[in-house]
């Protein structure tokens, strides 16, 4: 292990790499900002192996071998048999908390989560590989799409080797069991009798279709609601159900598969977590990313702001601990019943209507987590 000299207690860090949504979205009509439709055939070129991942690295090798095999444009309709197989796999894995590479390591320090857009994920992995102290983190990849190629990609992660010769990162995968992939024709997927999104009230009354329209008179769209369900599920899973994290009282950092991290993101997270009690006693979160169009690392690299947590500004690369999670979880009804399919807006609703004190956060002026996706 690299000698970083962090006292164990402050080895914070979690990475939530969400490996999933893309396959589904790509199979559906393109969203307004769908990069696949904008790029057309060019999207595949972006998948070329990154020189930063030496080809001798197993992750790079795997990606390379898969470049031709990855079909971004179609997600096949699965047969009932295939769905059953996937559910069995997920079921089998749900009781199996294998932490890859743990035998090379001590006990767990921290955590991370997963998604399924291979080309973004590759960039995230490259950036994680280059981050200092990544060997002290546990990466948990949370999938809402089961795919053997992606699972295999994750199992090849030993990118700490890129930095020194001895380090391995601890990696774990979890699988959302109520995904649209495994429930295409029943809740949370579209069930027979569900009202289509744009059903008019008279039509709904006439056809007796099932559903409750939202604020904008639209009926539920499973592919959007899945993201919120998955977020809530994985937070529950990680904070309360993953056995290896039972004794982890430190931070869990949520990342998504189209994020990119700076080399010092863990270092900054640690500095901020140490600073919180002194700098901002009411801050329950730390946010490493922001959506500002311009930032000046020269002047702002060391600057931090204290502000109320706002979903649209502070939903990227944010971290909190189990104490805060318990407060959020106690407001589960507010979160789940809030009429909005965005998990971050639902969290804001919890903050505004349920917590004894609204969520406040420390935010870096010069971000250490960046969004590289197109939407
Ligand atoms: C748990 O998963 C690992 C990796 O997928 C596998 O090698 C191992 O056999 C599994 N253990 C059980 C008990 O299923
Ligand atoms: C948690 O801590 C207790 C007491 O120190 C220890 O016995 C237990 O094995 C730990 N659990 C894990 C999952 O590390
Ligand atoms: C969790 O975070 C809150 C807010 O930063 C802090 O007050 C609390 O002491 C932390 N809990 C633990 C167990 O570190």
């Amino acid at each position: 292990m690299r000698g970083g000299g962090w006292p164990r207690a402050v080895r914070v860090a979690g990475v939530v790499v969400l490996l999933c949504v893309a396959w589904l979205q790509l199979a559906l009509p393109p969203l307004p900002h769908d990069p696949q439709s904008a790029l057309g055939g060019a999207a595949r070129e972006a998948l070329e192996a990154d020189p930063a991942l030496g080809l001798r690295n197993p992750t790079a090798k795997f990606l390379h071998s898969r470049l031709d095999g990855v079909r971004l444009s179609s997600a096949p309709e699965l047969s009932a048999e295939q769905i059953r197989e996937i559910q069995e796999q997920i079921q089998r894995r749900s009781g199996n908390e294998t932490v890859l590479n743990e035998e090379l390591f001590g006990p767990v320090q921290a955590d991370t989560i997963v998604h399924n857009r291979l080309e973004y994920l590759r960039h995230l992995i490259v950036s994680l590989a280059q981050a200092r102290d990544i060997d002290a983190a546990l990466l948990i990849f949370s999938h809402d799409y089961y795919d053997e190629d992606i699972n295999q990609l994750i199992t090849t992660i030993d990118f700490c080797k890129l930095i020194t010769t001895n380090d391995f990162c601890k990696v774990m995968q979890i699988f959302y069991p109520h995904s649209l992939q495994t429930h295409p024709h029943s809740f949370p997927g579209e069930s027979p009798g569900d009202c289509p999104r744009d059903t008019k009230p008279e039509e709904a009354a006439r056809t007796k279709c099932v559903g409750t329209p939202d604020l904008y008179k639209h009926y539920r769209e499973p592919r959007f609601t899945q993201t919120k369900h998955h977020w809530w599920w994985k937070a529950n899973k990680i904070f309360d159900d993953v056995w290896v994290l039972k004794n982890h009282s430190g931070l869990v950092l949520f990342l998504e598969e189209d994020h990119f991290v700076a080399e010092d993101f863990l270092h900054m997270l640690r500095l901020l977590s140490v600073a919180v009690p002194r700098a901002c006693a009411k801050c329950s979160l730390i946010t490493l990313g922001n959506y500002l169009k311009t930032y000046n690392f020269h002047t702002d690299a060391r600057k931090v702001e204290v502000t109320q947590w706002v979903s649209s500004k502070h939903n990227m690369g944010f971290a909190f601990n189990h104490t805060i999670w318990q407060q959020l979880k106690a407001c589960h009804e507010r979160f789940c019943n809030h009429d909005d399919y965005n998990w971050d807006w639902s969290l804001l609703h919890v903050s505004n209507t349920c917590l004894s004190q609204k969520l406040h956060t420390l935010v870096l002026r010069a971000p250490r987590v960046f969004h590289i996706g197109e939407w």
Side-chain angles (χ1 to χ4, degrees):
M1 193 187 293
R2 222 146 17 110
W6 288 12
R8 290 214 146 183
V10 293
R11 281 195 176 170
V12 289
V15 183
V16 173
V17 184
L18 306 168
L19 228 187
C20 20
V21 177
W23 241 270
L24 284 165
Q25 289 191 339
L26 293 171
L28 298 160
L31 296 168
H33 300 295
D34 187 338
Q36 295 311 324
S37 60
L39 291 172
R44 277 195 42 182
E45 278 154 40
L47 269 169
E48 269 167 31
D50 192 310
L53 273 178
L55 257 189
R56 291 177 47 214
N57 174 279
T59 305
K61 254 197 236 155
F62 177 83
L63 279 167
H64 200 70
S65 73
R66 290 295 161 176
L67 290 184
D68 293 333
V70 175
R71 292 215 313 277
L72 288 171
S73 53
S74 65
E77 170 94 1
L78 299 177
S79 66
E81 178 64 20
Q82 286 169 313
I83 288 174
R84 204 158 45 241
E85 274 171 27
I86 289 174
Q87 282 174 320
E88 276 168 18
Q89 286 289 337
I90 292 175
Q91 181 64 33
R92 195 173 60 75
R93 284 170 174 265
S94 72
N96 182 355
E97 288 188 10
T98 303
V99 178
L100 302 168
N101 304 328
E102 168 138 83
E103 66 281 8
L104 298 163
F105 244 66
V108 165
Q109 316 290 342
D111 4 297
T112 310
I113 306 185
V114 186
H115 255 225
N116 123 10
R117 278 182 271 174
L118 210 47
E119 80 278 23
Y120 288 141
L121 183 62
R122 181 178 62 82
H123 288 296
L124 174 64
I125 289 175
V126 170
S127 71
L128 289 170
Q130 292 165 349
R132 272 165 66 192
D133 301 318
I134 190 71
D135 52 305
L138 167 62
L139 307 180
I140 300 177
F141 289 81
S142 175
H143 304 260
D144 64 19
Y145 193 91
Y146 189 92
D147 180 88
E148 284 298 347
D149 280 354
I150 290 162
N151 298 344
Q152 213 181 321
L153 166 63
I154 307 286
T155 62
T156 63
I157 293 180
D158 71 342
F159 47 59
C160 299
K161 266 192 153 170
L162 291 172
I163 321 170
T164 73
T165 49
N166 296 320
D167 289 338
F168 287 79
C169 296
K170 290 186 290 289
V171 175
M172 199 176 128
Q173 303 196 78
I174 56 177
F175 296 86
Y176 179 51
H178 311 291
S179 70
L180 299 186
Q181 183 193 30
T182 53
H183 301 78
H185 306 302
S186 61
F187 186 86
E190 199 128 355
S191 323
D194 278 2
C195 301
R197 176 183 188 269
D198 292 321
T199 311
K200 297 271 174 298
E202 319 80 65
E203 211 178 321
R206 189 172 50 78
T207 61
K208 301 199 167 51
C209 63
V210 179
T212 312
D214 66 14
L215 194 61
Y216 307 102
K217 310 269 185 290
H218 295 144
Y219 287 85
R220 193 177 70 95
E221 292 177 272
R223 61 176 166 145
F224 291 125
T225 54
Q226 169 163 282
T227 311
K228 175 170 165 176
H229 292 190
H230 182 201
W231 193 88
W232 190 249
W233 174 83
K234 88 187 147 212
N236 271 277
K237 179 87 186 164
I238 287 167
F239 280 112
D240 291 335
D241 202 29
V242 171
W243 184 81
V244 295
L245 292 175
K246 269 247 165 334
N247 294 341
H248 178 69
S249 58
L251 293 170
V252 171
L253 173 70
F254 289 79
L255 296 177
E256 302 199 9
E257 100 285 353
D258 58 353
H259 289 171
F260 185 93
V261 299
E263 190 265 348
D264 64 346
F265 84 107
L266 289 176
H267 174 69
M268 295 307 291
L269 187 59
R270 180 184 140 253
L271 290 183
L272 293 187
S273 76
V274 171
V276 163
R278 213 163 13 93
C280 175
K282 66 182 172 186
C283 287
S284 33
L285 300 118
I286 292 172
T287 308
L288 299 181
N290 69 42
Y291 289 96
L292 300 177
K293 287 276 183 290
T294 57
Y295 27 80
N296 184 336
F297 275 89
H298 187 66
T299 55
D300 292 343
R302 297 157 65 93
K303 292 190 184 153
V304 176
E305 279 171 27
V306 170
T307 174
Q308 205 166 308
W309 188 82
V310 179
S311 51
S312 55
K313 292 182 181 167
H314 309 125
N315 64 5
M316 184 175 21
F318 69 100
F320 54 89
N321 66 21
H322 191 261
T323 313
I324 303 303
W325 166 245
Q326 282 173 309
Q327 296 169 13
L328 299 176
K329 194 177 173 181
C331 299
H332 59 94
E333 283 182 17
R334 301 293 172 100
F335 183 90
C336 296
N337 294 336
H338 184 48
D339 185 5
D340 196 303
Y341 62 70
N342 297 289
W343 61 263
D344 50 346
W345 286 97
S346 305
L347 208 53
L348 183 65
H349 181 68
V350 165
S351 170
N352 287 338
T353 66
C354 182
L355 298 179
S356 56
Q357 166 157 274
K358 290 182 183 177
L359 293 172
H360 283 72
T361 182
L362 279 184
V363 194
L364 288 174
R365 277 286 280 278
R368 303 308 203 276
V369 174
F370 305 87
H371 185 242
I372 55 173
E374 299 262 323
W375 70 85

